Amino acid sequence: MDWGLKNRLSRIIKPETGRTVMLAVDHGYFLGPTSGLEVIADTVQPLLQHADSLMLTRGALRTSVPPDFDIPIVLRVSGGTSILHEDLSNEDITTSMDEAIKLNASAVAISIFVGSAHEKETLTNLARLVTEGEACGIPVLAVTAVGREMTRDKKYLSLCCRIAAELGAHFVKTYYCDDFAEVVGTCPVPIVIAGGKKISEKDALKLAHNAISNGAVGVDMGRNIFQSDHPVGMIKAVRAIVHENVKVEEAYKLYRKSG
Ligand code: R5P
């Protein structure tokens, strides 16, 4: 890994704790104006100061994030399908590395769909993106998307994470599952977890705590933050778990206090 790539990665995974709270607001790239993200700027701006990085598309970035706000950007660069299509795996790369540089991205993110109809294309897109990213010092986050027919278990997620790392991803985003330590243990690059569909605040905090306790370096959480009744309280509580190792009850109190 060259200096620039390591430097960008260290803007996201904080050297002080070795951990990260990434805020994911890229959902619109296939879900459109999903609940909580109807007006991206309104949702994102109060949360920016509490996030270690922001994951989103170029369109959301240009229109909804002030360019003078210093936050590392993880630019989603895959897409091409919508929720109306049965097969979401038919993604391609939607921007270029030149554009990622122009937008001062600290990393780029691409979904892979292991076991789905377009598995091969998504995996070779990842490999190509890694080659291009390494040529200009930009790390690549592989997102292990789970098709409707797949099960989010240790066997499947270990397979996805390991393939992503072997193809050169610099870090991987996946889902939490039982025996998660084994998913982490067999993946040679850092793992962050997605929050998934909105669940109760306490359950989402438990999820973050379990993931961190089992070796994740952080979260790349969206709906369980921005769809919360108190998104700022929620991101502060998640931060306390990720960076300060606080217990779930204590984090929950923080969430309640900020509400
Ligand atoms: C999905 O492909 C997107 O990357 C989402 O941003 C991701 O799933 C994380 O968001 P959430 O915590 O809402 O699952």
Side-chain angles (χ1 to χ4, degrees):
M1 249 192 254
D2 75 2
W3 193 94
L5 196 145
K6 283 186 189 158
N7 175 265
R8 286 190 174 92
L9 203 52
S10 75
R11 296 198 68 217
I12 300 166
I13 302 172
K14 299 298 178 192
E16 300 80 21
T17 58
R19 293 196 180 148
T20 185
V21 175
M22 303 169 64
L23 177 64
V25 292
D26 59 327
H27 306 60
Y29 91 93
F30 73 105
L31 288 176
T34 197
S35 169
L37 279 182
E38 292 87 349
V39 181
I40 306 164
D42 291 354
T43 305
V44 159
Q45 289 185 12
L47 297 172
L48 283 180
Q49 63 185 295
H50 306 288
D52 293 323
S53 70
L54 188 61
M55 178 189 185
L56 74 182
T57 60
R58 63 180 176 185
L61 179 63
R62 288 172 185 156
T63 56
S64 310
V65 181
D68 58 353
F69 194 90
D70 184 19
I71 185 164
I73 297 300
V74 178
L75 190 68
R76 170 165 282 281
V77 300
S78 72
T81 59
S82 85
I83 193 67
L84 298 182
H85 204 281
E86 265 187 32
D87 177 13
L88 289 174
S89 73
N90 195 9
E91 286 196 354
D92 213 331
I93 294 176
T94 50
T95 63
S96 65
M97 214 41 90
D98 281 350
E99 179 149 30
I101 293 167
K102 260 200 243 172
L103 292 170
N104 198 26
S106 293
V108 291
I110 176 173
S111 291
I112 58 169
F113 292 78
V114 174
S116 298
H118 296 274
E119 171 186 276
K120 182 186 169 188
E121 291 88 337
T122 64
L123 293 179
T124 51
N125 281 341
L126 166 62
R128 201 168 68 244
L129 202 63
V130 169
T131 303
E132 291 170 6
E134 288 185 347
C136 44
I138 298 196
V140 176
L141 172 67
V143 179
T144 68
V146 181
R148 291 187 186 100
E149 65 285 8
M150 301 296 160
T151 314
R152 292 181 194 181
D153 61 10
K154 175 191 72 179
K155 194 173 172 200
Y156 176 69
L157 295 174
S158 300
L159 175 76
C160 300
C161 292
R162 179 59 174 266
I163 288 172
E166 298 261 356
L167 292 176
H170 303 98
F171 56 141
V172 176
K173 169 177 173 172
T174 195
Y175 290 95
Y176 181 75
C177 63
D178 289 343
D179 303 315
F180 189 68
E182 288 181 47
V183 179
V184 174
T186 54
C187 177
V189 297
I191 289 185
V192 292
I193 60 140
K197 282 189 182 152
K198 175 77 175 70
I199 49 181
S200 77
E201 276 74 8
K202 193 172 263 182
D203 284 345
L205 295 174
K206 277 186 201 156
L207 180 78
H209 189 270
N210 285 341
I212 295 296
S213 308
N214 284 286
V217 300
V219 301
D220 185 10
M221 199 175 257
R223 288 163 288 181
N224 277 290
I225 292 174
F226 63 73
Q227 290 178 351
S228 168
D229 289 344
H230 304 297
V232 170
M234 196 56 190
I235 196 169
K236 282 185 180 171
V238 170
R239 274 199 84 78
I241 287 172
V242 170
H243 285 300
E244 295 162 38
N245 292 314
V246 308
K247 295 201 163 61
V248 173
E249 282 303 330
E250 202 182 324
Y252 187 65
K253 278 185 203 154
L254 259 179
Y255 154 73
R256 297 276 301 243
K257 211 166 84 183
S258 307

